[in-house]
Amino acid sequence: MRARRKTLISGAAAAALLTVSLAACGSGGGSDDSGTTLTYWRLSETNEATGAAFAEVLEQFEADNPGVTIQVEERSTDGHKEALRTALGTSGAPDIYWSWAGPGIGGDFVNNGGSLDLAEYYEEYGWASRFNDVSMSSITQYGGYDGIPSGYSGAGIYYNKQLFADAGITETPETYEELLAAADALKASGTDAIEFGGTVNWHLMRLLDNLLETECGADTFDALVRTEASWADESCVETAFSEFSTWSQDYLIADWASLDDAQANQLLFSGQAAMVIEGSWFPQVLVNNNVDPDDFGVFRFPTGTDRLYGDTSNNYVSATTEHPDEAAAFLDHLTSTDSQTTLSQASGSRSVNVEVPLDTEGGTALDATWGEIFESSEGLYAFNDQNLTLAQTTEYFRILNAVASGDIAAADAGPQFQSFIDQQS
């Protein structure tokens, strides 16, 4: 059983987390005569309104807790992952950190001793009743109370309504066969059916993830990403990679390998590509890029499983923090009804606090459609860069890029990935 408070992780666990020098990262907060400083690492905020709301929430906490200061450090997606893998479990770790909750990232941090078990704070603050079952399952999935819910999101296929109409597509696809027919119709009309940026890897990954769910089904998909089934032996893996190869050669934008996600999305915004897989946060991205959200629709990738493609995220307290009580107080404030109402109204996203209703006034039709998608979905399958370990994810990226480029045959992709997994075990 893990200790709960002010517990330094074992030497073995620390070795698993400490991959480079501490000097590369910032350090946890401290205390002096002027008060206590807590360090909090999170992703860079790209939404100006949400950033302002977060600053307001922060200011209120510091006003309510004289002598406690929150020092926020923000990084890009890849920079944040790397910083956490470098620092957690060491004296360079932040007091609090945000992370995706999937087993390949958040679970890796937890299982290697980077997270403080917050069981006593769940009891003290009554947190368990503050969140829904999906959020709480991400907290307790590793046997303790690791972190406090931060958010959850879904991802679906956004499409340009006019390009669909020009191609003669009158209904959104409800089966994978109908999605293929739509891609054929778009191609015949002279439009690139779908866009992804290849330089960031995880953007194009979304297509392969969904094809694996489509061809393998929910149970086998889960068994594969947990390495409980063989990528070499399950025939659906080759089928999924074969479909992925077809999409890459026939329907994907030509310059995908040299573009990042933002550059590729510009092709969607300008009407040069018809579809992309993006998250429930994307309506705000459209607005930020001066694109009318009403020009686009969204539907769930028709995998046939009725599960939602998406993720959950949490805020964790580092196992090495010297200030667990102050960190818990901050997380209680951050997830309170008042704070979450402020943040939800600014971002338009659903709050993890069940007492905070979604503010639909002024929302887009896309937001309303997402409400329907969330309500109609049964279960969740996460992004594979959150399911797989860092090493597995890197190899997954290599193989999917090679298949998309035609450098690896679809039949060889699963066996190569399984061989890598076997070598790691």
Side-chain angles (χ1 to χ4, degrees):
M1 178 178 177
R2 288 206 327 267
R4 292 179 180 174
R5 301 181 60 177
K6 298 182 180 179
T7 302
L8 294 176
I9 63 175
S10 69
L17 285 166
L18 182 58
T19 56
V20 298
S21 165
L22 305 186
C25 293
S27 61
S31 297
D32 55 28
D33 293 341
S34 62
T36 299
T37 297
L38 296 176
T39 51
Y40 174 34
W41 290 6
R42 64 180 216 142
L43 285 182
S44 299
E45 183 56 66
T46 59
N47 183 329
E48 184 176 346
T50 305
F54 179 73
E56 179 182 336
V57 168
L58 214 63
E59 183 178 357
Q60 186 60 56
F61 173 78
E62 292 178 345
D64 293 343
N65 297 271
V68 181
T69 301
I70 307 298
Q71 180 179 309
V72 179
E73 294 184 28
E74 297 184 339
R75 296 178 177 84
S76 64
T77 298
D78 291 338
H80 185 65
K81 291 178 183 176
E82 184 58 29
L84 289 175
R85 287 180 172 123
T86 299
L88 288 182
T90 77
S91 59
D95 296 290
I96 305 166
Y97 63 95
W98 178 96
S99 177
W100 302 269
I105 301 181
D108 198 32
F109 299 149
V110 171
N111 290 328
N112 283 296
S115 164
L116 187 71
D117 189 334
L118 302 178
E120 68 180 275
Y121 298 111
Y122 270 83
E123 181 176 354
E124 178 180 347
Y125 290 106
W127 282 342
S129 61
R130 185 176 291 183
F131 310 107
N132 61 31
D133 291 343
V134 171
S135 296
M136 281 306 301
S137 66
S138 75
I139 298 298
T140 59
Q141 62 183 316
Y142 306 112
Y145 285 81
D146 291 286
I148 191 168
S150 173
Y152 61 98
S153 61
I157 297 179
Y158 286 82
Y159 67 97
N160 183 307
K161 293 178 180 178
Q162 187 59 54
L163 293 180
F164 263 43
D166 293 345
I169 306 168
T170 58
E171 300 287 344
T172 55
E174 294 185 355
T175 67
Y176 181 60
E177 289 71 26
E178 291 178 359
L179 179 61
L180 283 175
D184 281 331
L186 290 161
K187 181 179 180 181
S189 71
T191 299
D192 287 329
I194 199 162
E195 56 91 350
F196 293 101
T199 62
V200 291
N201 296 311
W202 45 262
H203 207 214
L204 183 58
M205 171 202 72
R206 296 170 181 169
L207 176 59
L208 178 58
D209 290 355
N210 279 282
L211 291 171
L212 284 165
E213 174 83 358
T214 302
E215 299 298 339
C216 295
D219 290 344
T220 302
F221 179 96
D222 289 345
L224 286 168
V225 298
R226 293 170 184 159
T227 65
E228 296 169 354
S230 171
W231 292 71
D233 296 338
E234 295 290 346
S235 61
C236 63
V237 173
E238 180 178 341
T239 306
F241 272 106
S242 179
E243 291 297 308
F244 179 68
S245 177
T246 297
W247 276 89
S248 303
Q249 301 301 317
D250 293 349
Y251 307 127
L252 182 61
I253 57 173
D255 298 329
W256 63 271
S258 62
L259 302 177
D260 63 22
D261 57 315
Q263 292 169 324
N265 283 345
Q266 289 299 323
L267 300 179
L268 182 81
F269 303 155
S270 62
Q272 299 177 70
M275 297 186 288
V276 69
I277 299 174
E278 283 287 358
S280 47
W281 60 83
F282 201 58
Q284 188 60 49
V285 175
L286 294 172
V287 172
N288 292 346
N289 282 273
N290 299 314
V291 178
D292 187 351
D294 290 338
D295 290 342
F296 295 86
V298 62
F299 59 92
R300 192 170 57 202
F301 196 106
T303 61
T305 68
D306 291 332
R307 295 204 299 179
L308 178 66
Y309 184 51
D311 68 354
T312 56
S313 59
N314 300 323
N315 280 304
Y316 299 85
V317 176
S318 291
T320 52
T321 183
E322 293 294 322
H323 309 289
D325 293 343
E326 292 86 349
F330 173 65
L331 294 180
D332 183 66
H333 173 80
L334 187 62
T335 57
S336 68
T337 300
D338 287 346
S339 295
Q340 288 293 303
T341 298
T342 299
L343 293 169
S344 180
Q345 289 178 344
S347 66
S349 61
R350 286 163 176 74
S351 170
V352 293
N353 185 320
V354 297
E355 298 296 327
V356 179
L358 178 64
D359 181 11
T360 57
E361 185 176 353
T364 68
L366 289 172
D367 295 321
T369 303
W370 269 114
E372 297 170 1
I373 292 174
F374 279 117
E375 290 181 5
S376 63
S377 298
E378 298 179 0
L380 181 107
Y381 59 110
F383 304 119
N384 269 350
D385 60 350
Q386 297 178 33
N387 284 323
L388 303 172
T389 66
L390 174 61
Q392 291 167 355
T393 298
T394 301
E395 180 68 358
Y396 187 68
F397 287 162
R398 184 191 70 80
I399 291 174
L400 74 86
N401 283 323
V403 171
S405 302
D407 295 329
I408 292 179
D412 296 332
Q416 285 198 20
F417 191 50
Q418 187 60 48
S419 176
F420 180 84
I421 292 171
D422 293 342
Q423 292 173 11
Q424 294 291 306
S425 61

